[in-house]
């Protein structure tokens, strides 16, 4: 399949977590492609200078310019289009990367500053912040089990535990710059590096990504009343 827009270049693309659909955006429009059929559908709505998009089963996320603050608003809308159900405005620099968790309940936004923020789609609350000591965050990806988050900068890939925000790995490019990265099923990081042309790069299995999570402490609820 192919998508051609004569007036504006495509600025962002992302797969749905299950790989069945692909969302893409040019500055003033968004489209969704069904991978099985190759059919592309435009999303109804007015969009202003979109810089990043992401897709879950039910929702799409977009980073959109809010003058005069730049691309610092993240809007969550139904996949079919329509008014935003959530708008996250607390970002302090332009958002350049978005990703939904595999269950679609959370969305991560990566900023230029750089830091990533994790938002609850259900409640609209900020759940975690991930400071990054590398350059601007260009892309984000969750592991298939939703436990890890990879924040991709030109000078490195930072892997953090989603719940605690704890950094467990930092990977440096063998040369050039990182463009994107994701997780393989056996605990490796697979990345695309731009080094005199695109090059596929991967780590060995990382023990931190294959270890079992520690058991959760027991929780008790005590109710007191008449």
């Amino acid at each position: 399949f192919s998508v051609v827009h004569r007036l504006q270049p495509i600025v962002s693309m992302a797969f749905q977590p299950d790989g069945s659909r692909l969302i893409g955006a040019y500055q003033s429009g968004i489209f969704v492609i069904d991978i099985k059929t190759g059919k592309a559908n435009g999303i109804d709505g007015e969009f202003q200078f979109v810089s990043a998009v992401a897709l879950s089963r039910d929702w799409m996320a977009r980073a959109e310019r809010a003058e005069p603050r730049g691309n610092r608003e993240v809007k969550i809308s139904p996949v079919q289009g329509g008014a935003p159900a959530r708008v996250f405005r607390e970002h302090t620099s332009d958002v350049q990367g978005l990703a939904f968790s595999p269950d679609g309940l959370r969305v991560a936004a990566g900023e230029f500053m750089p830091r990533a923020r994790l938002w609850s789609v259900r409640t609209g609350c900020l759940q975690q912040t991930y400071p990054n000591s590398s350059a601007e965050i260009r892309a984000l990806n969750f592991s298939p089990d939703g436990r890890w988050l990879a924040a991709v900068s030109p000078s490195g890939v930072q892997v953090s535990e989603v719940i605690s925000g704890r950094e467990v790995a930092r990977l440096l490019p063998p040369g050039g710059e990182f463009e994107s990265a994701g997780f393989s099923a056996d605990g490796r990081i697979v990345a695309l590096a731009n080094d005199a042309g695109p090059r596929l790069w991967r780590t060995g299995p990382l023990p931190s990504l294959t270890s079992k999570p520690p058991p959760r402490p027991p929780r008790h609820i005590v109710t007191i009343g008449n």
Side-chain angles (χ1 to χ4, degrees):
F1 58 80
S2 63
V3 176
V4 178
H5 192 275
R6 296 182 179 180
L7 300 179
Q8 301 174 13
I10 294 173
V11 297
S12 179
M13 298 189 78
F15 281 97
Q16 193 175 28
D18 66 4
S20 63
R21 291 184 294 179
L22 180 69
I23 189 171
Y26 45 93
Q27 285 190 342
S28 61
I30 296 176
F31 57 89
V32 174
I33 298 172
D34 185 291
I35 298 300
K36 186 175 182 179
T37 65
K39 184 178 180 181
N41 293 314
I43 300 297
D44 294 333
E46 295 183 4
F47 307 104
Q48 300 294 325
F49 298 99
V50 177
S51 61
V53 288
L55 187 66
S56 72
R57 186 187 67 178
D58 301 311
W59 303 99
M60 66 172 182
R62 66 185 186 272
E64 193 170 7
R65 178 168 296 177
E67 295 292 359
R69 301 178 64 245
N71 289 65
R72 301 182 183 183
E73 286 192 352
V74 174
K75 299 180 180 180
I76 310 296
S77 302
V79 172
Q80 296 80 7
R86 296 285 183 197
V87 180
F88 304 120
R89 297 187 172 93
E90 287 80 359
H91 303 97
T92 56
S93 62
D94 286 358
V95 174
Q96 302 183 129
L98 290 169
F100 276 102
S101 60
D103 59 12
L105 299 180
R106 293 167 292 183
V107 63
E111 298 183 33
F112 178 84
M113 277 306 289
R115 65 172 54 86
R117 302 176 195 264
L118 183 69
W119 300 95
S120 168
V121 176
R122 180 180 297 169
T123 66
C125 296
L126 178 66
Q127 294 191 322
Q128 192 55 266
T129 300
Y130 311 89
N132 196 305
S133 59
S134 299
E136 62 197 76
I137 297 176
R138 290 182 175 175
L140 294 164
N141 270 304
F142 285 88
S143 60
D145 60 3
R147 185 181 174 193
W148 310 108
L149 177 67
V152 185
S153 300
S155 57
V157 176
Q158 174 180 303
V159 182
S160 301
E161 189 175 39
V162 169
I163 293 177
S164 70
R166 177 176 61 94
E167 179 183 324
V168 298
R170 180 172 294 278
L171 310 170
L172 304 179
E177 298 181 345
F178 280 135
E179 298 292 339
S180 187
F183 298 85
S184 62
D186 60 356
R188 301 173 189 261
I189 298 292
V190 181
L192 180 66
N194 188 355
D195 183 13
R199 297 178 184 274
L200 192 63
W201 176 87
R202 69 183 66 207
T203 69
L206 300 179
S208 57
L209 304 187
T210 55
S211 62
K212 294 183 179 180
R216 293 186 176 183
R219 297 180 180 181
H220 304 279
I221 298 176
V222 178
T223 59
I224 301 174
N226 294 330

